[in-house]
Amino acid sequence: MSKLNRYIEAIDICAKVLGKEHPSYATSLNNLALLYQVQGQYDKAEPLYLETNGIHAKVLGKEHPDYATSLNNLAVLYKVQGQYDKAEPLYIESRDIRAKVLGKEHPDYAGSLNNLAGLYDAQGQYDKAEPLYIEASDIYAKVLGKEHPDYATSLNNLAELYRAQGQYDKAEPLYLEAIKILENVFGPEHPNAITCRNNYQLMLDEKSQKK
């Protein structure tokens, strides 16, 4: 049985046994939506995310972390399609819920900051993105520690922001620290470590070309 068929079967079982307003049914919808998103079938993913969002809002309430997550997932879908005007309010609402319910030192709140920063980064709004990346990085460092891969990812994201602006002196130490962490945690052949090294090499190439 394919992954698609397994997800569809799970949805059917949850609907029949638990009902279409049960959080587990919403989770099954979300999983299928994510699969469609990865496959680039955005038109199929969107209604599933919207239905998931509606169930969470009705059953769990609009201050529940799962509702915040469903908002975030829908925002990601819009972002990958370049629909930034649709993504931004969802990211902001998700961030605000997490701040209120989980607190501003929770990794999920940091994740919201990082996602919103990434949205602004993609639009070239670097002045909005930078403080969010920095705040996310500080939270990860404090809560998860400076050897955690999420902290390394936040360093890479901030380095990419500086690289895009030609601020190579700011970017370089962040890349190097991120690479060190990722290689220590995952090993040098892990995709995350390779990606970070490639980003660093691109920066070095750009820097040398501008000399």
Side-chain angles (χ1 to χ4, degrees):
M1 183 182 293
S2 69
K3 183 180 288 187
L4 174 61
N5 289 335
R6 287 199 301 271
Y7 283 153
I8 291 173
E9 183 179 8
I11 289 171
D12 291 341
I13 293 170
C14 285
K16 183 176 181 180
V17 177
L18 301 174
K20 290 187 175 182
E21 291 189 350
H22 195 280
S24 294
Y25 175 72
T27 298
S28 295
L29 292 174
N30 180 81
N31 291 341
L32 181 57
L34 180 58
L35 178 65
Y36 284 139
Q37 181 179 319
V38 170
Q39 295 175 341
Q41 300 187 60
Y42 304 131
D43 58 325
K44 291 185 177 181
E46 183 181 13
L48 297 174
Y49 279 136
L50 288 169
E51 187 176 356
T52 300
N53 195 40
I55 294 168
H56 284 154
K58 182 176 181 180
V59 178
L60 303 176
K62 291 188 175 182
E63 291 190 349
H64 194 280
D66 287 353
Y67 176 67
T69 298
S70 65
L71 290 173
N72 178 81
N73 293 344
L74 183 58
V76 171
L77 178 72
Y78 289 140
K79 184 195 171 189
V80 299
Q81 297 177 84
Q83 299 184 47
Y84 303 132
D85 57 328
K86 288 186 176 182
E88 183 180 12
L90 299 174
Y91 275 137
I92 290 173
E93 186 178 358
S94 178
R95 177 201 63 185
D96 292 347
I97 293 167
R98 287 171 170 173
K100 183 176 181 179
V101 178
L102 302 175
K104 291 186 175 182
E105 291 190 350
H106 195 281
D108 286 352
Y109 173 71
S112 284
L113 295 175
N114 182 74
N115 290 342
L116 184 57
L119 181 72
Y120 293 139
D121 195 350
Q123 298 174 81
Q125 299 184 48
Y126 303 129
D127 57 326
K128 289 185 176 182
E130 182 182 12
L132 298 174
Y133 277 142
I134 291 172
E135 186 179 355
S137 184
D138 289 343
I139 294 168
Y140 286 135
K142 182 176 181 180
V143 178
L144 302 177
K146 291 187 174 182
E147 295 183 358
H148 195 281
D150 286 353
Y151 175 66
T153 298
S154 69
L155 294 176
N156 176 77
N157 292 342
L158 184 56
E160 286 283 272
L161 177 78
Y162 290 138
R163 179 172 74 87
Q165 298 175 83
Q167 299 184 47
Y168 303 126
D169 291 342
K170 288 186 176 181
E172 184 165 4
L174 299 175
Y175 280 131
L176 292 174
E177 185 176 357
I179 291 168
K180 181 180 179 181
I181 296 166
L182 292 171
E183 290 185 346
N184 285 341
V185 175
F186 296 126
E189 300 307 314
H190 190 275
N192 290 4
I194 292 171
T195 296
C196 195
R197 285 202 307 273
N198 288 343
N199 291 341
Y200 176 58
Q201 186 60 52
L202 284 172
M203 186 214 69
L204 293 177
D205 293 343
E206 289 177 6
K207 187 176 179 181
S208 65
Q209 289 171 6
K210 292 185 178 181
K211 286 185 177 178

